[in-house]
């Protein structure tokens, strides 16, 4: 079950990626926090989302690597925390007027497999969590 733990940890660390992509990396930050066309309230919610990824990822890592045996319930708590950011990303499109990126960046955004890059990444990471759950259930027991 140790491999399942490390798969979840990998996804949890990716939760920090929103902060990098939306605020630090110039090529993608210009579409988010560094976008002069975004109103302050949109930037507020982007900040909220970035911090949610950091906090959810940190919580997941705490569940997985606390100084006690990793039981199946703690493993599932880690999975749940790691999944919050990515499931939210996947379902954000249900709200009217949302888009994967702003129209001004249409020419710059590639669409691998016909998906927006963050959409594809979110689906892949959710898929990895499903694989980790399957592995944990097959090998259930304490993880070191």
């Amino acid at each position: 079950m140790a491999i399942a733990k490390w798969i979840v940890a990998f996804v949890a660390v990716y939760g920090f990626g929103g902060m990098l992509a939306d605020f630090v990396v110039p090529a993608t930050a210009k579409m988010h926090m560094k976008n002069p066309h975004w109103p302050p309230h949109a930037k507020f919610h982007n900040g909220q989302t970035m911090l949610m990824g950091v906090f959810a990822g940190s919580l997941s890592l705490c569940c997985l690597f606390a100084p006690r045996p990793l039981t199946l319930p703690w493993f599932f708590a880690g999975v749940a925390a790691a999944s919050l950011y990515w499931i939210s990303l996947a379902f954000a499109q249900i709200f009217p007027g949302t888009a994967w990126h702003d129209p001004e960046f249409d020419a710059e955004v590639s669409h691998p497999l016909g998906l927006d890059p963050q959409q594809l990444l979110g689906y892949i990471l959710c898929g990895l969590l499903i694989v980790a759950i399957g592995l944990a259930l097959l090998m259930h027991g304490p993880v070191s």
Side-chain angles (χ1 to χ4, degrees), residues 43-62:
K43 290 183 180 190
F44 165 83
H45 282 292
N46 189 219
Q48 180 184 23
T49 302
M50 290 186 298
L51 291 173
M52 183 67 170
V54 169
F55 295 147
S58 298
L59 177 60
S60 178
L61 293 172
C62 287

Side-chain angles (χ1 to χ4, degrees), residues 40 51 64 80 99 111 116 143:
L51 291 173
L64 296 171
H111 290 88
D116 193 84
V143 178

Side-chain angles (χ1 to χ4, degrees), residues 32 49 53 70 108 132:
H32 298 90
T49 302
L70 180 59
E108 295 179 42

Side-chain angles (χ1 to χ4, degrees), residues 48-105:
Q48 180 184 23
T49 302
M50 290 186 298
L51 291 173
M52 183 67 170
V54 169
F55 295 147
S58 298
L59 177 60
S60 178
L61 293 172
C62 287
C63 290
L64 296 171
F65 293 99
R68 49 137 174 76
L70 180 59
T71 61
L72 210 51
W74 279 110
F75 173 80
F76 285 129
V79 170
S83 72
L84 290 174
Y85 184 83
W86 304 107
I87 291 173
S88 298
L89 180 139
F91 283 99
Q93 291 286 64
I94 66 172
F95 294 97
T98 60
W100 288 107
H101 59 272
D102 290 324
E104 67 189 278
F105 299 106

